Amino acid sequence: MDKGWMKMKVGLIRIVSICVINFMLNYLLLFPLDLIQYITTPDLKMFSLVGIIVSGTTALATLLFYKLVDGKQIRTLGFQFKRKDLLFSICSIVLTVFIVFIVSMVASNLGVVSAKWNMGVFIEPSFYLLFIMVFVSWFVAAFYEEVLFRGYFVANLKFLSNKKLFLMTSIIFMVFHIFRGLDPISIVVLMLMSCVMLNIYLKSGSLLPCIFAHLIFNFSTSHLVGSSEIAILKFDGDLGLFNLIIIVLYMMITILLTKVFYGKESSIIVNNAKVLS
């Protein structure tokens, strides 16, 4: 009982500590230098550079904390990429992009936005550089969030039941996005998204499928469609309710893919701190 209580206490202290460190790093990197303006800038070069610097710094801090404070090897967070993980990631990328394009076109046909294919970008040399920069930026952001909210949290909250683990990690994930402004719908969406990503991690035992599923949603909804320079489906304005439809369909498809590729049984058994071979 005493050992169990001590492990729980240490785990909670580490969670609080890493959250404070990440909050401070995000604040120091974004606000004193006024880099926060580049988070939503149409200047994709600055958006990408700031995203890589901020997410990369906080990801590195989290990994170092895990290695130096927790005293564990970074690889134990789960970075294997087996054939099943590769297939899941490919299917997630293809289906997510398909969903975003289809729903956006439906919204255009209904007059919510006026969208048109922007195939001319493929003949512009600058498109490929910007595409890679933005893609890498979203990859680093997804890497950071999955390492922290899934990998590190699960490693230190193994004493919780699965239900409590889903609840606690989703609440903290939502709080970390508070600087963007939160309304009731955003709160629910963020918490559900967190649960979907955690489900992938617990069943696969690897962070990489979570990272690619996370990355492609952000990348496709933020830059592959809309008003960005690299948008393949171009339109100005807001999809409104169709944004929510995209999110719901994305979560449903991701849950289905997780079940198809990883089955019902978890690769990581949290309560018993046991990893199945």
Side-chain angles (χ1 to χ4, degrees), residues 145-257:
E145 292 195 352
E146 295 309 316
V147 165
L148 175 62
F149 297 113
R150 260 59 73 179
Y152 190 83
F153 280 17
V154 168
N156 282 278
L157 295 174
K158 288 179 178 177
F159 54 86
L160 293 177
S161 66
N162 274 10
K163 289 182 180 179
K164 291 180 180 178
L165 179 67
F166 274 95
L167 179 61
M168 179 170 286
T169 55
S170 63
I171 289 174
I172 301 175
F173 181 72
M174 176 268 295
V175 170
F176 258 77
H177 291 77
I178 200 168
F179 70 92
R180 297 181 182 178
L182 296 176
D183 54 64
I185 294 179
S186 297
I187 289 173
V188 172
V189 166
L190 285 168
M191 293 181 68
L192 289 177
M193 281 288 199
S194 176
C195 291
V196 169
M197 293 300 124
L198 181 57
N199 184 50
I200 300 172
Y201 181 50
L202 293 180
K203 291 186 179 299
S204 68
S206 174
L207 286 170
L208 289 174
C210 313
I211 291 169
F212 282 108
H214 191 156
L215 148 73
I216 194 59
F217 176 80
N218 288 342
F219 181 54
S220 58
T221 55
S222 298
H223 289 98
L224 279 187
V225 301
S227 58
S228 78
E229 287 182 60
I230 60 172
I232 297 173
L233 185 61
K234 195 101 173 174
F235 62 83
D236 291 314
D238 187 359
L239 290 174
L241 179 62
F242 286 89
N243 278 318
L244 189 58
I245 293 174
I246 289 174
I247 293 170
V248 171
L249 289 175
Y250 166 78
M251 289 192 290
M252 290 173 62
I253 288 295
T254 304
I255 291 170
L256 178 61
L257 287 176

Side-chain angles (χ1 to χ4, degrees), residues 1 31 75 77 79 82-83 88-89 105-106 114 117 120 126 134 137 146 149 157 169 219 224 234-235 248 257 276:
M1 179 67 71
F31 291 97
R75 61 181 175 80
L77 289 173
F79 290 101
K82 299 177 181 178
R83 181 185 177 188
F88 172 90
S89 300
M105 285 302 299
V106 170
S114 179
W117 294 104
S126 60
V134 174
S137 177
E146 295 309 316
F149 297 113
L157 295 174
T169 55
F219 181 54
L224 279 187
K234 195 101 173 174
F235 62 83
V248 171
L257 287 176
L276 299 178

Side-chain angles (χ1 to χ4, degrees), residues 45 48 124-135 230:
K45 289 182 180 179
S48 302
E124 299 175 10
S126 60
F127 165 78
Y128 297 96
L129 175 61
L130 290 175
F131 185 96
I132 292 171
M133 289 182 67
V134 174
F135 187 90
I230 60 172

